[in-house]
Amino acid sequence: MSEQFERLSRLPLRDDLRGKHPYGAPQLDVPILLNVNENTYGVPDEVRQAIIAAICDEVGGLNRYPDREFTELRTNLAQYLGHGLTPDNLWAANGSNEVLQHLLQAFGGPGRSAIGFPPTYSMYPLLASSTGTRYIAGDGNGQFDLSAGDAARQVRESGANIVFLCSPNNPTGSALGLDVVEAVYEASQDAQAIVIVDEAYAEFAHTGTASALTLLEGRERLVVSRTMSKAFAMAGTRLGYLASAPEVADALRLVRLPYHLSAVTQATANAALTHSGKLLANVENIKAQRDRIVDSLRGMGLTPVASDANFVLFGGLEDPQRIWQGLLEAGVLIRDVGIPGHLRVTAGTETETTVFLGALEALLGETVS
Ligand code: PMP
């Protein structure tokens, strides 16, 4: 046990947090960062100027609390999503992680449970644990290949109060058919569960992949969560949001901290949304690199999972740790998500992808003594 861990264990920590490890994707100073699925393109100059101007307008008024209802932001987010949504259908927080935390605070908690389908987003069990919600690890069928019937059965049998569906799923990249969402919603009728479809990577899906936003009408327990951290190239802003029936947002008002979205966050996000076209301009380039990665890895004899996100999970590696380390030494940081024989890489710019593929090919060709 490290000295730091030992000191922590001497504190009067909540029993259910003892022995837990925090979320911790490595943050290393490496030239090519392809490990946390950011948009690796910088913010375009025009948008940068607009954000600076918007923040400047706020600075003189920073002695006051911000708009607690972030009305302008909810209006802009509703407009961006379309589907007939109004500001009343929108909620936002500091990253979609906080949006998910609000949902667990309001609908989970002691005596309640949430189900997810590993391999899926690693924060679901952590958010459940920090809110005292029991986490049920369902079966994601290896590569998150969930059929409507199987997912519905698991949800019905679990009796969970909250269901996490992630589409496109992290870390596999696979998108779920809407039939799965519909079947899960039906199956959660008895438990009256909140069904969350986490669409953090929706903008990268192949053309024709439908969003669960189309299912919101008439389903008051369905929630679709999104983020500005990925396609919008705004991970540093920390702005996530959801669309749902207005009463779900009202429930979240009961648990959010007062004024949880700072004036600077609101101004930045509003300026970004006004320039969404410019910010999203690189999504097609990223999708092309994602598809290139899948093709190239197949060509190297590896087994990439078909992806609708801005990353690719790939298997067929005898020694993933050696490859991860070798790539790091070549200046490329990717992610070991803990699946045996697999690694995950974010699709970056064309140049970054070329460096990654070249370094990987060289490592695979090395004879290991
Ligand atoms: N959902 C999924 C599936 C993710 O992969 C992530 C980030 N990696 C998030 C939610 C949270 O992102 P953020 O808090 O930056 O919005």
Side-chain angles (χ1 to χ4, degrees):
M1 200 173 357
S2 76
E3 202 189 319
Q4 196 181 355
F5 198 71
E6 207 188 331
R7 279 207 299 271
L8 168 65
S9 65
R10 276 192 248 121
L11 286 176
L13 192 64
R14 268 169 34 192
D15 287 341
D16 59 321
L17 293 181
R18 284 189 183 278
K20 291 254 156 68
H21 293 277
Y23 173 87
Q27 286 197 302
L28 304 177
D29 189 10
V30 173
I32 300 184
L33 294 168
L34 303 176
N35 67 327
V36 284
N37 303 336
E38 295 150 329
N39 184 329
T40 68
Y41 288 86
V43 177
D45 205 42
E46 191 187 326
V47 188
R48 205 182 297 195
Q49 295 310 323
I51 292 174
I52 291 168
I55 293 176
C56 274
D57 281 350
E58 290 299 324
V59 174
L62 286 181
N63 56 313
R64 300 289 180 192
Y65 286 115
D67 174 13
R68 196 174 45 219
E69 283 299 311
F70 47 101
T71 314
E72 185 184 343
L73 181 55
R74 285 189 292 116
T75 307
N76 285 332
L77 289 168
Q79 201 171 356
Y80 167 67
L81 287 181
H83 293 277
L85 294 165
T86 72
D88 288 346
N89 299 110
L90 267 294
W91 182 251
N94 296 283
S96 51
N97 279 327
E98 192 181 60
V99 168
L100 299 175
Q101 186 179 49
H102 285 168
L103 286 163
L104 282 155
Q105 285 177 303
F107 299 106
R112 295 192 172 202
S113 60
I115 184 169
F117 300 91
T120 192
Y121 184 37
S122 60
M123 279 302 294
Y124 300 152
L126 291 181
L127 289 164
S129 131
S130 70
T131 56
T133 312
R134 185 167 62 92
Y135 184 73
I136 302 167
D139 181 1
N141 260 333
Q143 295 187 348
F144 205 74
D145 191 10
L146 281 173
S147 71
D150 182 28
R153 180 189 54 78
Q154 293 193 53
V155 165
R156 199 176 296 108
E157 287 175 5
S158 74
N161 306 94
I162 295 174
V163 182
F164 286 113
L165 295 175
C166 190
S167 180
N169 182 49
N170 181 5
T172 58
S174 11
L176 290 174
L178 290 190
D179 60 324
V180 178
V181 181
E182 286 175 297
V184 162
Y185 190 84
E186 285 294 315
S188 64
Q189 175 75 24
D190 285 349
Q192 285 289 294
I194 295 291
V195 177
I196 304 170
V197 186
D198 180 346
E199 293 192 349
Y201 300 97
E203 287 92 344
F204 299 107
H206 285 98
T207 314
T209 311
S211 161
L213 290 171
T214 57
L215 299 180
L216 279 175
E217 181 125 23
R219 291 185 178 84
E220 70 286 349
R221 294 179 288 106
L222 183 64
V223 171
V224 181
S225 147
R226 295 276 188 107
T227 182
M228 292 184 75
S229 297
K230 311 295 180 183
F232 268 91
M234 284 273 122
T237 303
R238 308 306 298 125
L239 202 287
Y241 55 102
L242 64 71
S244 67
E247 54 269 34
V248 172
D250 284 337
L252 305 184
R253 287 184 170 87
L254 300 173
V255 297
R256 62 103 182 271
L257 294 175
Y259 317 105
H260 68 294
L261 284 176
S262 84
V264 174
T265 302
Q266 293 186 43
T268 307
N270 281 323
L273 283 160
T274 314
H275 293 80
S276 57
K278 276 259 163 354
L279 278 171
L280 296 171
N282 287 311
V283 165
E284 288 306 319
N285 298 332
I286 295 167
K287 287 165 69 176
Q289 295 311 311
R290 180 242 355 247
D291 293 341
R292 174 183 170 212
I293 293 172
V294 171
D295 288 347
S296 306
L297 296 185
R298 272 195 198 122
M300 292 179 204
L302 299 174
T303 50
V305 182
S307 173
D308 273 288
N310 67 338
F311 54 83
V312 178
L313 179 73
F314 57 100
L317 299 168
E318 273 174 35
D319 186 354
Q321 181 55 30
R322 177 184 77 87
I323 300 293
W324 185 87
Q325 189 63 39
L327 286 169
L328 184 61
E329 280 155 26
V332 184
L333 180 61
I334 69 166
R335 188 83 179 269
D336 181 349
V337 289
I339 301 178
H342 287 70
L343 291 170
R344 191 195 69 193
V345 63
T346 305
T349 63
E350 184 175 355
T351 310
E352 289 170 330
T353 305
T354 302
V355 175
F356 159 70
L357 291 172
L360 178 63
E361 194 158 28
L363 285 163
L364 290 172
E366 274 175 13
T367 39
V368 188
S369 55

